[in-house]
Each structure stands twice: as C-alpha cells, then as structure tokens.
Short mmCIF file of all heavy atoms in Angstrom, two decimals:
data_model
loop_
_atom_site.label_atom_id
_atom_site.label_comp_id
_atom_site.label_asym_id
_atom_site.label_seq_id
_atom_site.Cartn_x
_atom_site.Cartn_y
_atom_site.Cartn_z
N MET E 9 -11.99 8.43 17.52
CA MET E 9 -11.08 7.77 18.43
C MET E 9 -10.86 6.31 18.03
O MET E 9 -9.74 5.82 18.04
CB MET E 9 -11.63 7.88 19.85
CG MET E 9 -10.76 7.27 20.88
SD MET E 9 -9.26 8.22 21.00
CE MET E 9 -8.46 7.40 22.31
N LEU E 10 -11.93 5.62 17.67
CA LEU E 10 -11.80 4.24 17.25
C LEU E 10 -11.05 4.13 15.92
O LEU E 10 -10.34 3.14 15.69
CB LEU E 10 -13.17 3.57 17.13
CG LEU E 10 -13.88 3.28 18.45
CD1 LEU E 10 -15.26 2.71 18.20
CD2 LEU E 10 -13.06 2.35 19.31
N THR E 11 -11.18 5.13 15.08
CA THR E 11 -10.45 5.13 13.81
C THR E 11 -8.95 5.21 14.07
O THR E 11 -8.17 4.49 13.43
CB THR E 11 -10.90 6.32 12.95
OG1 THR E 11 -12.31 6.28 12.80
CG2 THR E 11 -10.24 6.28 11.59
N ARG E 12 -8.55 6.05 14.98
CA ARG E 12 -7.12 6.17 15.32
C ARG E 12 -6.60 4.88 15.92
O ARG E 12 -5.48 4.46 15.63
CB ARG E 12 -6.90 7.33 16.29
CG ARG E 12 -7.12 8.68 15.64
CD ARG E 12 -6.83 9.79 16.59
NE ARG E 12 -5.39 9.81 16.88
CZ ARG E 12 -4.86 10.49 17.87
NH1 ARG E 12 -5.62 11.21 18.68
NH2 ARG E 12 -3.56 10.47 18.08
N LEU E 13 -7.39 4.25 16.74
CA LEU E 13 -6.99 2.98 17.35
C LEU E 13 -6.92 1.88 16.28
O LEU E 13 -6.02 1.05 16.29
CB LEU E 13 -7.97 2.58 18.45
CG LEU E 13 -7.63 1.32 19.23
CD1 LEU E 13 -6.33 1.51 19.99
CD2 LEU E 13 -8.76 0.98 20.16
N GLY E 14 -7.86 1.90 15.36
CA GLY E 14 -7.88 0.90 14.30
C GLY E 14 -6.69 0.99 13.36
O GLY E 14 -6.24 -0.02 12.81
N ARG E 15 -6.14 2.21 13.17
CA ARG E 15 -4.99 2.37 12.29
C ARG E 15 -3.74 1.70 12.83
O ARG E 15 -2.81 1.41 12.09
CB ARG E 15 -4.71 3.85 12.05
CG ARG E 15 -5.64 4.44 11.01
CD ARG E 15 -5.19 5.81 10.61
NE ARG E 15 -5.48 6.73 11.72
CZ ARG E 15 -5.09 7.97 11.77
NH1 ARG E 15 -4.39 8.49 10.80
NH2 ARG E 15 -5.38 8.73 12.81
N LEU E 16 -3.71 1.42 14.13
CA LEU E 16 -2.56 0.73 14.71
C LEU E 16 -2.46 -0.71 14.23
O LEU E 16 -1.40 -1.32 14.26
CB LEU E 16 -2.66 0.74 16.24
CG LEU E 16 -2.49 2.09 16.92
CD1 LEU E 16 -2.79 1.95 18.41
CD2 LEU E 16 -1.09 2.62 16.71
N PHE E 17 -3.57 -1.28 13.80
CA PHE E 17 -3.62 -2.68 13.42
C PHE E 17 -3.60 -2.88 11.91
O PHE E 17 -3.92 -3.95 11.43
CB PHE E 17 -4.86 -3.34 14.02
CG PHE E 17 -4.86 -3.29 15.53
CD1 PHE E 17 -5.61 -2.35 16.20
CD2 PHE E 17 -4.09 -4.18 16.25
CE1 PHE E 17 -5.59 -2.29 17.58
CE2 PHE E 17 -4.07 -4.13 17.62
CZ PHE E 17 -4.82 -3.18 18.30
N VAL E 18 -3.22 -1.87 11.16
CA VAL E 18 -3.14 -1.95 9.71
C VAL E 18 -1.66 -2.06 9.32
O VAL E 18 -0.83 -1.26 9.76
CB VAL E 18 -3.76 -0.70 9.04
CG1 VAL E 18 -3.59 -0.75 7.54
CG2 VAL E 18 -5.23 -0.61 9.40
N ILE E 19 -1.35 -3.06 8.51
CA ILE E 19 0.02 -3.26 8.05
C ILE E 19 0.20 -2.42 6.79
O ILE E 19 -0.44 -2.65 5.78
CB ILE E 19 0.28 -4.75 7.74
CG1 ILE E 19 0.03 -5.59 8.98
CG2 ILE E 19 1.69 -4.95 7.22
CD1 ILE E 19 0.01 -7.07 8.71
N LYS E 20 1.10 -1.43 6.87
CA LYS E 20 1.26 -0.47 5.77
C LYS E 20 2.52 -0.71 4.95
O LYS E 20 2.54 -0.40 3.76
CB LYS E 20 1.29 0.94 6.33
CG LYS E 20 0.04 1.35 7.06
CD LYS E 20 0.20 2.73 7.67
CE LYS E 20 -0.76 2.95 8.79
NZ LYS E 20 -0.35 2.43 10.07
N THR E 21 3.58 -1.22 5.54
CA THR E 21 4.84 -1.37 4.84
C THR E 21 5.30 -2.82 4.86
O THR E 21 4.82 -3.63 5.66
CB THR E 21 5.94 -0.50 5.48
OG1 THR E 21 6.18 -0.98 6.81
CG2 THR E 21 5.54 0.96 5.52
N ARG E 22 6.26 -3.12 3.98
CA ARG E 22 6.81 -4.48 3.94
C ARG E 22 7.55 -4.80 5.23
O ARG E 22 7.54 -5.94 5.70
CB ARG E 22 7.75 -4.63 2.75
CG ARG E 22 7.02 -4.69 1.42
CD ARG E 22 7.96 -4.80 0.25
NE ARG E 22 8.85 -5.94 0.30
CZ ARG E 22 8.55 -7.16 -0.18
NH1 ARG E 22 7.40 -7.36 -0.74
NH2 ARG E 22 9.42 -8.13 -0.09
N PHE E 23 8.19 -3.80 5.84
CA PHE E 23 8.89 -4.02 7.10
C PHE E 23 7.92 -4.46 8.18
O PHE E 23 8.20 -5.41 8.92
CB PHE E 23 9.63 -2.74 7.52
CG PHE E 23 10.36 -2.88 8.82
CD1 PHE E 23 11.50 -3.65 8.90
CD2 PHE E 23 9.89 -2.25 9.96
CE1 PHE E 23 12.18 -3.78 10.10
CE2 PHE E 23 10.57 -2.38 11.17
CZ PHE E 23 11.71 -3.15 11.24
N GLU E 24 6.78 -3.79 8.29
CA GLU E 24 5.76 -4.20 9.26
C GLU E 24 5.25 -5.59 8.95
O GLU E 24 4.99 -6.38 9.86
CB GLU E 24 4.60 -3.20 9.26
CG GLU E 24 4.95 -1.84 9.80
CD GLU E 24 3.83 -0.84 9.62
OE1 GLU E 24 2.84 -1.15 8.92
OE2 GLU E 24 3.94 0.25 10.19
N ALA E 25 5.11 -5.90 7.66
CA ALA E 25 4.65 -7.24 7.27
C ALA E 25 5.65 -8.29 7.72
O ALA E 25 5.26 -9.35 8.24
CB ALA E 25 4.45 -7.31 5.76
N PHE E 26 6.94 -8.02 7.54
CA PHE E 26 7.95 -8.98 7.97
C PHE E 26 7.97 -9.15 9.48
O PHE E 26 8.22 -10.25 9.98
CB PHE E 26 9.34 -8.59 7.45
CG PHE E 26 9.54 -8.88 5.99
CD1 PHE E 26 9.87 -7.88 5.11
CD2 PHE E 26 9.38 -10.17 5.50
CE1 PHE E 26 10.05 -8.15 3.77
CE2 PHE E 26 9.55 -10.45 4.15
CZ PHE E 26 9.88 -9.44 3.29
N LEU E 27 7.71 -8.08 10.22
CA LEU E 27 7.62 -8.21 11.68
C LEU E 27 6.45 -9.10 12.09
O LEU E 27 6.58 -9.92 12.99
CB LEU E 27 7.49 -6.82 12.33
CG LEU E 27 8.72 -5.93 12.29
CD1 LEU E 27 8.39 -4.58 12.90
CD2 LEU E 27 9.88 -6.58 13.02
N VAL E 28 5.33 -8.94 11.43
CA VAL E 28 4.16 -9.78 11.73
C VAL E 28 4.44 -11.23 11.36
O VAL E 28 4.11 -12.15 12.11
CB VAL E 28 2.91 -9.24 10.99
CG1 VAL E 28 1.76 -10.22 11.08
CG2 VAL E 28 2.50 -7.90 11.56
N ILE E 29 5.07 -11.44 10.21
CA ILE E 29 5.40 -12.81 9.78
C ILE E 29 6.38 -13.45 10.76
O ILE E 29 6.25 -14.63 11.09
CB ILE E 29 5.95 -12.79 8.34
CG1 ILE E 29 4.85 -12.38 7.37
CG2 ILE E 29 6.51 -14.16 7.96
CD1 ILE E 29 5.35 -12.03 5.99
N TYR E 30 7.34 -12.68 11.25
CA TYR E 30 8.28 -13.21 12.23
C TYR E 30 7.56 -13.62 13.51
O TYR E 30 7.84 -14.69 14.08
CB TYR E 30 9.37 -12.18 12.55
CG TYR E 30 10.30 -12.64 13.63
CD1 TYR E 30 11.32 -13.54 13.34
CD2 TYR E 30 10.17 -12.21 14.94
CE1 TYR E 30 12.18 -14.00 14.31
CE2 TYR E 30 11.01 -12.67 15.93
CZ TYR E 30 12.01 -13.55 15.62
OH TYR E 30 12.84 -14.02 16.60
N ALA E 31 6.63 -12.79 13.96
CA ALA E 31 5.88 -13.14 15.17
C ALA E 31 5.04 -14.39 14.95
O ALA E 31 4.95 -15.26 15.83
CB ALA E 31 4.98 -11.96 15.57
N LEU E 32 4.43 -14.51 13.78
CA LEU E 32 3.67 -15.72 13.47
C LEU E 32 4.58 -16.95 13.45
O LEU E 32 4.21 -18.02 13.95
CB LEU E 32 2.98 -15.58 12.11
CG LEU E 32 1.79 -14.63 12.03
CD1 LEU E 32 1.34 -14.49 10.59
CD2 LEU E 32 0.66 -15.13 12.89
N ALA E 33 5.77 -16.80 12.88
CA ALA E 33 6.70 -17.92 12.80
C ALA E 33 7.18 -18.34 14.19
O ALA E 33 7.29 -19.54 14.48
CB ALA E 33 7.88 -17.56 11.92
N ALA E 34 7.47 -17.37 15.04
CA ALA E 34 7.92 -17.70 16.39
C ALA E 34 6.82 -18.46 17.15
O ALA E 34 7.10 -19.44 17.84
CB ALA E 34 8.30 -16.43 17.14
N GLY E 35 5.58 -18.02 17.00
CA GLY E 35 4.47 -18.72 17.64
C GLY E 35 4.25 -20.11 17.06
O GLY E 35 3.94 -21.06 17.78
N ALA E 36 4.43 -20.23 15.75
CA ALA E 36 4.23 -21.54 15.11
C ALA E 36 5.30 -22.53 15.55
O ALA E 36 5.00 -23.71 15.78
CB ALA E 36 4.26 -21.39 13.60
N VAL E 37 6.53 -22.08 15.69
CA VAL E 37 7.59 -22.98 16.14
C VAL E 37 7.35 -23.39 17.59
O VAL E 37 7.54 -24.56 17.94
CB VAL E 37 8.98 -22.31 15.96
CG1 VAL E 37 10.06 -23.10 16.66
CG2 VAL E 37 9.29 -22.17 14.48
N GLU E 38 6.91 -22.46 18.40
CA GLU E 38 6.59 -22.80 19.79
C GLU E 38 5.46 -23.83 19.86
O GLU E 38 5.52 -24.79 20.62
CB GLU E 38 6.22 -21.54 20.56
CG GLU E 38 5.97 -21.76 22.02
CD GLU E 38 7.21 -22.18 22.79
OE1 GLU E 38 8.32 -21.77 22.39
OE2 GLU E 38 7.08 -22.93 23.77
N ARG E 39 4.44 -23.62 19.05
CA ARG E 39 3.34 -24.57 18.99
C ARG E 39 3.81 -25.92 18.47
O ARG E 39 3.42 -26.97 18.98
CB ARG E 39 2.24 -24.00 18.09
CG ARG E 39 1.05 -24.86 17.89
CD ARG E 39 0.20 -24.86 19.11
NE ARG E 39 -1.05 -25.53 18.83
CZ ARG E 39 -2.08 -25.50 19.60
NH1 ARG E 39 -2.03 -24.81 20.72
NH2 ARG E 39 -3.17 -26.13 19.31
N GLY E 40 4.68 -25.90 17.45
CA GLY E 40 5.22 -27.13 16.90
C GLY E 40 6.05 -27.90 17.91
O GLY E 40 6.01 -29.14 17.96
N MET E 41 6.82 -27.19 18.72
CA MET E 41 7.60 -27.86 19.76
C MET E 41 6.69 -28.53 20.77
O MET E 41 6.98 -29.62 21.27
CB MET E 41 8.53 -26.85 20.47
CG MET E 41 9.61 -26.29 19.58
SD MET E 41 10.71 -27.53 18.91
CE MET E 41 11.60 -27.99 20.36
N GLY E 42 5.57 -27.90 21.07
CA GLY E 42 4.59 -28.52 21.95
C GLY E 42 4.04 -29.81 21.34
O GLY E 42 3.84 -30.81 22.04
N TYR E 43 3.80 -29.78 20.03
CA TYR E 43 3.33 -30.98 19.36
C TYR E 43 4.39 -32.09 19.40
O TYR E 43 4.07 -33.26 19.56
CB TYR E 43 2.97 -30.70 17.90
CG TYR E 43 1.64 -30.02 17.73
CD1 TYR E 43 1.48 -28.99 16.79
CD2 TYR E 43 0.52 -30.39 18.46
CE1 TYR E 43 0.26 -28.37 16.61
CE2 TYR E 43 -0.69 -29.77 18.29
CZ TYR E 43 -0.82 -28.77 17.37
OH TYR E 43 -2.03 -28.16 17.19
N LEU E 44 5.67 -31.72 19.27
CA LEU E 44 6.73 -32.72 19.31
C LEU E 44 6.81 -33.39 20.68
O LEU E 44 7.10 -34.58 20.78
CB LEU E 44 8.07 -32.09 18.95
CG LEU E 44 8.30 -31.78 17.48
CD1 LEU E 44 9.62 -31.05 17.31
CD2 LEU E 44 8.28 -33.04 16.66
N HIS E 45 6.56 -32.62 21.74
CA HIS E 45 6.59 -33.19 23.08
C HIS E 45 5.35 -34.05 23.34
O HIS E 45 5.43 -35.08 24.01
CB HIS E 45 6.70 -32.10 24.13
CG HIS E 45 8.03 -31.44 24.15
ND1 HIS E 45 9.18 -32.09 24.55
CD2 HIS E 45 8.41 -30.20 23.80
CE1 HIS E 45 10.20 -31.27 24.46
NE2 HIS E 45 9.76 -30.12 23.99
N ARG E 46 4.23 -33.60 22.83
CA ARG E 46 2.98 -34.33 23.09
C ARG E 46 2.84 -35.56 22.20
O ARG E 46 2.30 -36.58 22.63
CB ARG E 46 1.80 -33.40 22.86
CG ARG E 46 0.50 -34.00 23.25
CD ARG E 46 -0.57 -32.96 23.35
NE ARG E 46 -1.79 -33.61 23.80
CZ ARG E 46 -2.94 -33.03 23.90
NH1 ARG E 46 -3.04 -31.76 23.61
NH2 ARG E 46 -3.99 -33.68 24.31
N PHE E 47 3.27 -35.46 20.95
CA PHE E 47 3.18 -36.57 19.99
C PHE E 47 4.59 -36.90 19.48
O PHE E 47 4.98 -36.44 18.42
CB PHE E 47 2.29 -36.20 18.80
CG PHE E 47 0.91 -35.78 19.17
CD1 PHE E 47 0.52 -34.45 19.06
CD2 PHE E 47 -0.01 -36.70 19.62
CE1 PHE E 47 -0.75 -34.05 19.39
CE2 PHE E 47 -1.29 -36.32 19.95
CZ PHE E 47 -1.67 -34.99 19.84
N PRO E 48 5.34 -37.71 20.22
CA PRO E 48 6.70 -38.03 19.75
C PRO E 48 6.65 -38.89 18.49
O PRO E 48 5.72 -39.64 18.26
CB PRO E 48 7.31 -38.81 20.93
CG PRO E 48 6.16 -39.29 21.73
CD PRO E 48 5.01 -38.35 21.48
N GLY E 49 7.65 -38.70 17.66
CA GLY E 49 7.73 -39.49 16.44
C GLY E 49 7.22 -38.75 15.22
O GLY E 49 7.19 -37.51 15.17
N THR E 50 6.78 -39.52 14.25
CA THR E 50 6.37 -38.98 12.96
C THR E 50 5.17 -38.04 13.08
O THR E 50 5.11 -37.00 12.41
CB THR E 50 6.04 -40.12 11.99
OG1 THR E 50 7.16 -41.01 11.94
CG2 THR E 50 5.76 -39.59 10.60
N GLN E 51 4.21 -38.39 13.91
CA GLN E 51 3.01 -37.55 14.05
C GLN E 51 3.37 -36.14 14.53
O GLN E 51 2.84 -35.15 14.04
CB GLN E 51 2.02 -38.18 15.02
CG GLN E 51 1.38 -39.44 14.51
CD GLN E 51 0.50 -40.08 15.56
OE1 GLN E 51 0.63 -39.81 16.75
NE2 GLN E 51 -0.41 -40.93 15.11
N GLY E 52 4.28 -36.05 15.48
CA GLY E 52 4.70 -34.75 15.98
C GLY E 52 5.40 -33.92 14.91
O GLY E 52 5.18 -32.72 14.80
N TRP E 53 6.25 -34.58 14.11
CA TRP E 53 6.95 -33.86 13.05
C TRP E 53 6.00 -33.40 11.95
O TRP E 53 6.18 -32.32 11.38
CB TRP E 53 8.06 -34.72 12.45
CG TRP E 53 9.26 -34.78 13.35
CD1 TRP E 53 9.66 -35.83 14.13
CD2 TRP E 53 10.19 -33.73 13.60
NE1 TRP E 53 10.79 -35.50 14.83
CE2 TRP E 53 11.14 -34.20 14.51
CE3 TRP E 53 10.31 -32.43 13.12
CZ2 TRP E 53 12.19 -33.42 14.97
CZ3 TRP E 53 11.36 -31.65 13.58
CH2 TRP E 53 12.28 -32.15 14.49
N ILE E 54 4.99 -34.19 11.67
CA ILE E 54 3.99 -33.77 10.67
C ILE E 54 3.23 -32.55 11.16
O ILE E 54 3.01 -31.59 10.41
CB ILE E 54 3.04 -34.94 10.33
CG1 ILE E 54 3.80 -36.00 9.54
CG2 ILE E 54 1.82 -34.45 9.56
CD1 ILE E 54 3.03 -37.28 9.33
N LEU E 55 2.83 -32.55 12.42
CA LEU E 55 2.13 -31.39 12.98
C LEU E 55 3.05 -30.17 13.05
O LEU E 55 2.61 -29.04 12.81
CB LEU E 55 1.55 -31.73 14.34
CG LEU E 55 0.39 -32.72 14.33
CD1 LEU E 55 0.05 -33.17 15.74
CD2 LEU E 55 -0.82 -32.11 13.65
N PHE E 56 4.31 -30.39 13.38
CA PHE E 56 5.28 -29.30 13.39
C PHE E 56 5.40 -28.68 12.00
O PHE E 56 5.40 -27.46 11.85
CB PHE E 56 6.64 -29.82 13.86
CG PHE E 56 7.68 -28.76 14.02
CD1 PHE E 56 7.84 -28.12 15.23
CD2 PHE E 56 8.51 -28.40 12.97
CE1 PHE E 56 8.80 -27.14 15.40
CE2 PHE E 56 9.47 -27.42 13.12
CZ PHE E 56 9.62 -26.79 14.34
N ALA E 57 5.51 -29.52 10.98
CA ALA E 57 5.61 -29.04 9.60
C ALA E 57 4.34 -28.30 9.18
O ALA E 57 4.41 -27.30 8.45
CB ALA E 57 5.88 -30.20 8.65
N ALA E 58 3.20 -28.78 9.64
CA ALA E 58 1.94 -28.10 9.29
C ALA E 58 1.89 -26.70 9.90
O ALA E 58 1.41 -25.75 9.25
CB ALA E 58 0.76 -28.93 9.77
N CYS E 59 2.39 -26.55 11.12
CA CYS E 59 2.41 -25.23 11.75
C CYS E 59 3.29 -24.26 10.97
O CYS E 59 2.90 -23.11 10.73
CB CYS E 59 2.94 -25.34 13.18
SG CYS E 59 1.83 -26.12 14.34
N THR E 60 4.47 -24.72 10.58
CA THR E 60 5.37 -23.82 9.87
C THR E 60 4.90 -23.57 8.43
O THR E 60 5.09 -22.47 7.90
CB THR E 60 6.80 -24.37 9.87
OG1 THR E 60 6.79 -25.69 9.35
CG2 THR E 60 7.36 -24.40 11.28
N ALA E 61 4.27 -24.55 7.81
CA ALA E 61 3.76 -24.35 6.45
C ALA E 61 2.64 -23.31 6.44
O ALA E 61 2.52 -22.53 5.49
CB ALA E 61 3.25 -25.67 5.88
N ALA E 62 1.86 -23.28 7.49
CA ALA E 62 0.79 -22.28 7.58
C ALA E 62 1.37 -20.87 7.60
O ALA E 62 0.79 -19.94 7.03
CB ALA E 62 -0.06 -22.53 8.82
N VAL E 63 2.53 -20.70 8.24
CA VAL E 63 3.18 -19.38 8.27
C VAL E 63 3.65 -18.98 6.88
O VAL E 63 3.53 -17.82 6.48
CB VAL E 63 4.35 -19.36 9.28
CG1 VAL E 63 5.12 -18.05 9.20
CG2 VAL E 63 3.84 -19.59 10.68
N PHE E 64 4.18 -19.93 6.12
CA PHE E 64 4.61 -19.62 4.75
C PHE E 64 3.42 -19.16 3.91
O PHE E 64 3.53 -18.19 3.15
CB PHE E 64 5.26 -20.83 4.09
CG PHE E 64 6.67 -21.08 4.56
CD1 PHE E 64 6.98 -22.24 5.23
CD2 PHE E 64 7.67 -20.16 4.32
CE1 PHE E 64 8.27 -22.48 5.66
CE2 PHE E 64 8.96 -20.38 4.74
CZ PHE E 64 9.27 -21.55 5.41
N MET E 65 2.30 -19.83 4.03
CA MET E 65 1.12 -19.45 3.25
C MET E 65 0.58 -18.09 3.69
O MET E 65 0.27 -17.24 2.85
CB MET E 65 0.04 -20.52 3.38
CG MET E 65 0.42 -21.82 2.70
SD MET E 65 -0.90 -23.03 2.69
CE MET E 65 -1.02 -23.46 4.40
N ALA E 66 0.49 -17.88 4.99
CA ALA E 66 -0.01 -16.60 5.50
C ALA E 66 0.95 -15.47 5.17
O ALA E 66 0.51 -14.36 4.81
CB ALA E 66 -0.23 -16.69 7.01
N GLY E 67 2.24 -15.72 5.26
CA GLY E 67 3.23 -14.69 4.95
C GLY E 67 3.16 -14.25 3.50
O GLY E 67 3.26 -13.06 3.20
N GLY E 68 2.98 -15.19 2.61
CA GLY E 68 2.82 -14.84 1.19
C GLY E 68 1.61 -13.97 0.95
O GLY E 68 1.66 -13.00 0.20
N LYS E 69 0.52 -14.34 1.59
CA LYS E 69 -0.71 -13.54 1.43
C LYS E 69 -0.55 -12.14 2.01
O LYS E 69 -1.04 -11.16 1.44
CB LYS E 69 -1.89 -14.25 2.10
CG LYS E 69 -2.44 -15.38 1.31
CD LYS E 69 -3.01 -14.85 0.02
CE LYS E 69 -3.98 -15.85 -0.57
NZ LYS E 69 -4.52 -15.36 -1.83
N ILE E 70 0.11 -12.04 3.15
CA ILE E 70 0.32 -10.73 3.77
C ILE E 70 1.17 -9.85 2.86
O ILE E 70 0.85 -8.67 2.63
CB ILE E 70 0.98 -10.88 5.16
CG1 ILE E 70 -0.01 -11.49 6.15
CG2 ILE E 70 1.47 -9.53 5.68
CD1 ILE E 70 0.61 -11.90 7.47
N LEU E 71 2.25 -10.39 2.31
CA LEU E 71 3.11 -9.61 1.42
C LEU E 71 2.38 -9.23 0.14
O LEU E 71 2.54 -8.11 -0.37
CB LEU E 71 4.38 -10.38 1.10
CG LEU E 71 5.35 -10.54 2.28
CD1 LEU E 71 6.49 -11.47 1.90
CD2 LEU E 71 5.87 -9.19 2.73
N ASP E 72 1.57 -10.13 -0.40
CA ASP E 72 0.77 -9.80 -1.58
C ASP E 72 -0.22 -8.69 -1.29
O ASP E 72 -0.43 -7.79 -2.10
CB ASP E 72 0.02 -11.03 -2.09
CG ASP E 72 0.92 -12.01 -2.80
OD1 ASP E 72 2.06 -11.63 -3.16
OD2 ASP E 72 0.48 -13.16 -3.00
N ALA E 73 -0.84 -8.75 -0.11
CA ALA E 73 -1.83 -7.73 0.26
C ALA E 73 -1.18 -6.36 0.42
O ALA E 73 -1.75 -5.34 0.01
CB ALA E 73 -2.56 -8.13 1.54
N VAL E 74 0.01 -6.32 1.01
CA VAL E 74 0.71 -5.04 1.17
C VAL E 74 1.07 -4.47 -0.19
O VAL E 74 0.89 -3.28 -0.45
CB VAL E 74 1.97 -5.21 2.06
CG1 VAL E 74 2.84 -3.98 2.02
CG2 VAL E 74 1.56 -5.52 3.48
N ALA E 75 1.56 -5.32 -1.10
CA ALA E 75 1.91 -4.86 -2.44
C ALA E 75 0.67 -4.38 -3.19
O ALA E 75 0.72 -3.38 -3.90
CB ALA E 75 2.60 -5.98 -3.22
N TYR E 76 -0.43 -5.08 -3.03
CA TYR E 76 -1.67 -4.69 -3.70
C TYR E 76 -2.16 -3.34 -3.20
O TYR E 76 -2.59 -2.49 -3.98
CB TYR E 76 -2.74 -5.76 -3.47
CG TYR E 76 -4.06 -5.43 -4.11
CD1 TYR E 76 -4.25 -5.59 -5.47
CD2 TYR E 76 -5.12 -4.94 -3.35
CE1 TYR E 76 -5.45 -5.28 -6.06
CE2 TYR E 76 -6.32 -4.62 -3.92
CZ TYR E 76 -6.49 -4.80 -5.28
OH TYR E 76 -7.69 -4.49 -5.87
N GLU E 77 -2.12 -3.13 -1.89
CA GLU E 77 -2.58 -1.85 -1.33
C GLU E 77 -1.72 -0.67 -1.77
O GLU E 77 -2.21 0.42 -1.93
CB GLU E 77 -2.60 -1.93 0.21
CG GLU E 77 -3.71 -2.79 0.75
CD GLU E 77 -5.08 -2.21 0.49
OE1 GLU E 77 -5.24 -0.98 0.55
OE2 GLU E 77 -6.00 -3.00 0.21
N ARG E 78 -0.44 -0.93 -1.97
CA ARG E 78 0.46 0.15 -2.42
C ARG E 78 0.40 0.36 -3.92
O ARG E 78 0.94 1.31 -4.44
CB ARG E 78 1.88 -0.17 -2.01
CG ARG E 78 2.08 -0.15 -0.50
CD ARG E 78 3.50 -0.35 -0.15
NE ARG E 78 4.25 0.80 -0.66
CZ ARG E 78 5.55 0.94 -0.54
NH1 ARG E 78 6.24 0.01 0.03
NH2 ARG E 78 6.16 1.99 -1.02
N GLY E 79 -0.21 -0.59 -4.64
CA GLY E 79 -0.28 -0.48 -6.08
C GLY E 79 0.89 -1.10 -6.79
O GLY E 79 1.08 -0.90 -8.00
N ASP E 80 1.69 -1.87 -6.08
CA ASP E 80 2.88 -2.51 -6.66
C ASP E 80 2.58 -3.89 -7.20
O ASP E 80 3.48 -4.53 -7.75
CB ASP E 80 3.99 -2.64 -5.60
CG ASP E 80 4.46 -1.30 -5.09
OD1 ASP E 80 4.24 -0.30 -5.78
OD2 ASP E 80 5.03 -1.27 -3.99
N ALA E 81 1.37 -4.37 -7.06
CA ALA E 81 1.04 -5.74 -7.44
C ALA E 81 1.02 -5.90 -8.95
O ALA E 81 0.59 -5.02 -9.69
CB ALA E 81 -0.31 -6.15 -6.86
N VAL E 82 1.51 -7.03 -9.40
CA VAL E 82 1.47 -7.37 -10.82
C VAL E 82 0.18 -8.11 -11.07
O VAL E 82 -0.15 -9.08 -10.43
CB VAL E 82 2.68 -8.27 -11.20
CG1 VAL E 82 2.59 -8.67 -12.65
CG2 VAL E 82 3.97 -7.54 -10.90
N ARG E 83 -0.58 -7.63 -12.04
CA ARG E 83 -1.88 -8.25 -12.30
C ARG E 83 -1.84 -9.13 -13.48
O ARG E 83 -1.22 -9.05 -14.42
CB ARG E 83 -2.94 -7.18 -12.50
CG ARG E 83 -3.14 -6.40 -11.23
CD ARG E 83 -4.16 -5.35 -11.42
NE ARG E 83 -4.17 -4.53 -10.21
CZ ARG E 83 -5.11 -3.70 -9.94
NH1 ARG E 83 -6.12 -3.54 -10.73
NH2 ARG E 83 -5.07 -3.00 -8.84
#
C-alpha cells in the first residue's frame, strides 16, 4: 500500500517535471513579492532574484534527473 502511495510522488515524464517546476516558480514569485513588500528597494529585489534563481537551478536538476532515469542523459 505504501509503495502505491509512494509512486504518486515520483516524477516520470518531462511533462510532470514541467508541472512541478511551474509550481515551484509560482511559489517563488509569491515569496519574492513578499520580500519586495517587506524589504523595499534593492534588498527586496535581490531576495526576489534569489528566489527565482533557485527555481532555475532546481528545474535544471529535475529535468536532468528525469532524462537520466529514462536513459536519455548524455554522459
């Protein structure tokens, strides 16, 4: 039963990976907007950029991992 439940949280296709990356990006932008309100000026924009940059790094790793699991990765 736990195995079946665990399979729901495995990213198997690039489409699923893009959905996860989109959700991460939406959350990062929301978090960044909070930083802009809390820290007006340059500090807020730097924190906003850090939130979105983290999504770019995580998204790349997610896509690489999906390609590796499928055997499409270039070594």
Side-chain angles (χ1 to χ4, degrees):
M9 181 67 176
L10 288 176
T11 306
R12 290 183 68 193
L13 184 64
R15 280 190 287 172
L16 291 173
F17 299 100
V18 176
I19 302 169
K20 299 176 201 84
T21 64
R22 287 179 57 88
F23 179 72
E24 292 173 351
F26 284 122
L27 289 177
V28 169
I29 293 167
Y30 176 78
L32 288 173
V37 169
E38 184 66 31
R39 178 74 171 192
M41 294 300 289
Y43 282 139
L44 285 175
H45 289 291
R46 187 165 183 185
F47 303 108
T50 306
Q51 291 175 340
W53 283 106
I54 290 172
L55 290 170
F56 185 90
C59 289
T60 55
V63 173
F64 283 116
M65 292 186 291
K69 282 296 200 181
I70 291 170
L71 291 173
D72 285 345
V74 169
Y76 179 78
E77 288 293 323
R78 294 185 65 181
D80 297 340
V82 177
R83 295 179 187 194

